[in-house]
Amino acid sequence: MPEINEFGQQVNDRVPGWQGAGLLRRTALNGRFCRLEPLDTERHAADLFAAYTLGDDSDWTWLASTQPTSVEATAHWIMAKVMDDELVPFAVIDLRNERAVGLVSYMANERLLGSVEI
């Protein structure tokens, strides 16, 4: 039975037959200006290192890691993301030049609740 929260909104309504969300897949997602493709160390390390050197360290202030200082360090950083079972990481590919310009991940996947952070 649904409840009404303090804002007068209906919450906790059950979805009939809900069995939880499926696994998130590491498949390309195509958009108008960019493509998200599964993060890959060999394919994306050099591009991402080049993209990250365009900014300064302030872009990394609120992140849990520091800016990689070489292509090799970027490759190790990427590999840690690829190997993390809690993440589904993607490289953001600029369609104008087919280069990786950033990354994004699905994380905090709560399959029972059907929620995920991006």
Side-chain angles (χ1 to χ4, degrees), residues 14 39 52 58 76 78 100 110:
R14 299 226 183 262
L39 190 60
Y52 294 152
S58 67
H76 288 288
I78 289 172
E110 297 289 341

Side-chain angles (χ1 to χ4, degrees), residues 14 23 42 45 66 78:
R14 299 226 183 262
L23 287 174
E42 289 184 29
T66 57
I78 289 172

Side-chain angles (χ1 to χ4, degrees), residues 44-91:
H44 302 124
D47 284 354
L48 289 176
F49 176 70
Y52 294 152
T53 60
L54 297 175
D56 59 27
D57 285 342
S58 67
D59 293 341
W60 295 76
T61 299
W62 306 112
L63 299 179
S65 54
T66 57
Q67 182 175 354
T69 57
S70 67
V71 173
E72 294 78 19
T74 305
H76 288 288
W77 180 71
I78 289 172
M79 184 56 69
K81 296 200 174 307
V82 169
M83 299 304 294
D84 188 336
D85 290 337
E86 299 297 316
L87 299 177
V88 180
F90 295 92

Side-chain angles (χ1 to χ4, degrees), residues 43 46-48 50-51 92-102:
R43 176 153 160 65
D47 284 354
L48 289 176
V92 178
I93 307 299
D94 184 333
L95 294 180
R96 294 174 298 176
N97 59 20
E98 289 294 319
R99 296 191 65 168
V101 295

Side-chain angles (χ1 to χ4, degrees), residues 1 15 28 32 37 41 53 55 65-66 69 81 113:
M1 171 177 251
V15 176
R32 184 172 169 193
E37 62 183 40
T41 303
T53 60
S65 54
T66 57
T69 57
K81 296 200 174 307
L113 300 176

